[in-house]
Amino acid sequence: VLTQSPDFQSVAPKEQVTITCRASQSIGRSLHWYQQKPDQSPKLLIKYGSQSFSGVPSRFSGSGSGTEFTLTINSLEVEDAATYYCHETATLPQTFGQGTKVEIK
Amino acid sequence: QVQLVESGGGVVQPGRSLRLSCAVSGFTFSSYAMHWVRQAPGKGLEWVAIISYDGSKKHYADSVRGRFSISRDNSKNTLYLQMNSLSAEDTAVYYCVKEETLHDYSGDLDFWGQGTLVTVSS
């Protein structure tokens, strides 16, 4: 089971956003982050805890291993308004976190 | 470029069946595992099923095991999801999703289709 916190965050442009994803058991680094904007399909941001996916802006970064992981957005931009999901692939069936909605103040 | 185009969604009565298809292009379909992920209206993402690149391995979410079946036809570059005994809880947008790594099984998901809406209602 993956638990994200917070569920919702309202942040001003240029500020930093931190989202945490906790796993109920150790999953190594098999944790990925996705961004979903309204009425769009999810997009891969970070894979295996900290590896940036091709084309993702450098303000997005990930860290963590085992049971605790973090997605950080540095210098938030208006276009970053979205829901962010973590996703673990260490076990089958796979699971997603419940999502964290980021709103721009 | 990579394209994943789902079809087959619609309104179906409880207890009935539906088959979703996903036509892919832009990559060597037969070399990548594929997934179905769904999202109920206004809710989060729920992983549904995975099939290996050659169709020899499959796994399902507990919520659909025994009712849904994932398959693929590598000669037609098409992924399928056969859904039986549908209930209102299966109402969702269903996404066809590609794994990033060649011949991997259960890795990160790099390309998502636009989704097809399945509504289970009488």
Side-chain angles (χ1 to χ4, degrees):
Chain A
V1 177
L2 295 179
T3 304
Q4 290 182 230
S5 61
D7 290 333
F8 176 85
Q9 203 165 11
S10 183
V11 182
K14 299 187 180 179
E15 292 190 349
Q16 184 181 77
V17 172
T18 300
I19 300 169
T20 299
C21 180
R22 289 186 173 87
S24 58
Q25 63 186 67
S26 179
I27 56 173
R29 292 186 181 276
S30 296
L31 190 286
H32 320 293
W33 292 96
Y34 302 85
Q35 175 194 65
Q36 186 179 32
K37 296 182 180 180
D39 299 318
Q40 293 187 17
S41 303
K43 290 183 169 62
L44 178 64
L45 293 175
I46 303 291
K47 56 183 180 176
Y48 295 103
S50 60
Q51 300 175 32
S52 294
F53 183 59
S54 175
V56 173
S58 59
R59 63 182 180 276
F60 292 93
S61 63
S63 63
S65 65
T67 61
E68 186 153 333
F69 299 83
T70 300
L71 173 70
T72 301
I73 311 173
N74 285 310
S75 192
L76 188 73
E77 298 194 5
V78 172
E79 66 190 37
D80 299 332
T83 300
Y84 294 84
Y85 295 93
C86 57
H87 167 224
E88 69 85 6
T89 57
T91 63
L92 285 166
Q94 299 179 1
T95 55
F96 285 89
Q98 80 275 17
T100 296
K101 185 174 183 177
V102 174
E103 174 192 87
I104 310 298
K105 273 185 187 174
Chain B
Q1 71 280 23
V2 172
Q3 288 196 328
L4 308 166
V5 180
E6 302 93 338
S7 61
V11 180
V12 60
Q13 292 180 331
R16 303 298 290 267
S17 299
L18 204 62
R19 188 177 83 155
L20 305 182
S21 300
C22 173
V24 314
S25 60
F27 66 100
T28 305
F29 179 65
S30 60
S31 294
Y32 293 88
M34 297 293 296
H35 301 243
W36 288 99
V37 175
R38 69 183 181 182
Q39 187 169 34
K43 302 297 184 183
L45 301 173
E46 180 186 13
W47 181 83
V48 173
I50 180 177
I51 186 168
S52 60
Y53 68 96
D54 60 358
S56 63
K57 293 190 292 186
K58 304 174 186 180
H59 282 84
Y60 299 91
D62 293 344
S63 58
V64 307
R65 189 176 298 116
R67 300 187 300 121
F68 288 14
S69 178
I70 189 171
S71 62
R72 64 192 298 158
D73 186 335
N74 286 345
S75 67
K76 295 182 178 179
N77 286 352
T78 304
L79 176 72
Y80 302 100
L81 185 67
Q82 177 66 42
M83 304 185 294
N84 300 329
S85 301
L86 286 162
S87 70
E89 289 69 38
D90 297 314
T91 294
V93 173
Y94 286 74
Y95 294 103
C96 165
V97 195
K98 171 188 171 292
E99 277 211 15
E100 183 187 15
T101 305
L102 189 74
H103 292 171
D104 200 0
Y105 189 75
S106 202
D108 61 293
L109 308 176
D110 63 345
F111 284 99
W112 297 60
Q114 285 304 300
T116 186
L117 176 62
V118 173
T119 302
V120 183
S121 173
S122 54

